[in-house]
Amino acid sequence: DSKPDNLQRISGIGPKNEKTLHGLGFFHFDQIAAWTEDEIQWVDEHLKFNGRIIREKWVHQAELLAEGKEEEFRTLYGSGGVKNQDGASTSGSETRKS
């Protein structure tokens, strides 16, 4: 009954992917955090991502967000698309381009 989480905070999920995830019944970080290997494969096939969910560590990102570990999330994954006062978002150690 609660409002959906902003799944776009997870690096790799944009508006189109969020809409698709909603269509598949996923609305909350804790749902993604609980995905099994089979569920990851099933969702990956629906999104046609060829392993991107695992490469981008969606489950780990969702775990941190579901548990309210914002500081650890920001360190690893940046601001998750949330913009600061200057209108910029930040990258973390796992999302920086080398």
Side-chain angles (χ1 to χ4, degrees):
D1 292 338
S2 65
K3 184 173 119 177
D5 292 327
N6 178 3
L7 300 182
Q8 293 182 52
R9 292 208 53 211
I10 295 174
S11 179
I13 297 179
K16 182 179 176 184
N17 294 332
E18 183 177 51
K19 184 176 180 178
T20 301
L21 289 169
H22 287 170
L24 296 173
F26 299 105
F27 297 90
H28 301 285
F29 298 132
D30 63 341
Q31 291 177 292
I32 295 172
W35 281 353
T36 64
E37 288 183 32
D38 288 340
E39 288 171 312
I40 291 169
Q41 183 177 354
W42 182 78
V43 173
D44 195 69
E45 289 172 8
H46 275 82
L47 297 174
K48 297 176 179 35
F49 270 180
N50 301 320
R52 184 172 163 188
I53 292 170
I54 291 172
R55 282 192 311 275
E56 294 179 350
K57 303 177 183 178
W58 286 15
V59 171
H60 185 244
Q61 291 184 63
E63 286 171 354
L64 294 175
L65 291 167
E67 294 170 6
K69 296 181 177 179
E70 290 287 336
E71 189 170 326
E72 185 177 352
F73 179 84
R74 274 192 303 277
T75 299
L76 293 171
Y77 303 105
S79 60
V82 174
K83 298 188 186 312
N84 63 21
Q85 295 174 10
D86 299 327
S89 57
T90 59
S91 296
S93 62
E94 293 288 327
T95 56
R96 273 191 198 102
K97 304 272 187 222
S98 13

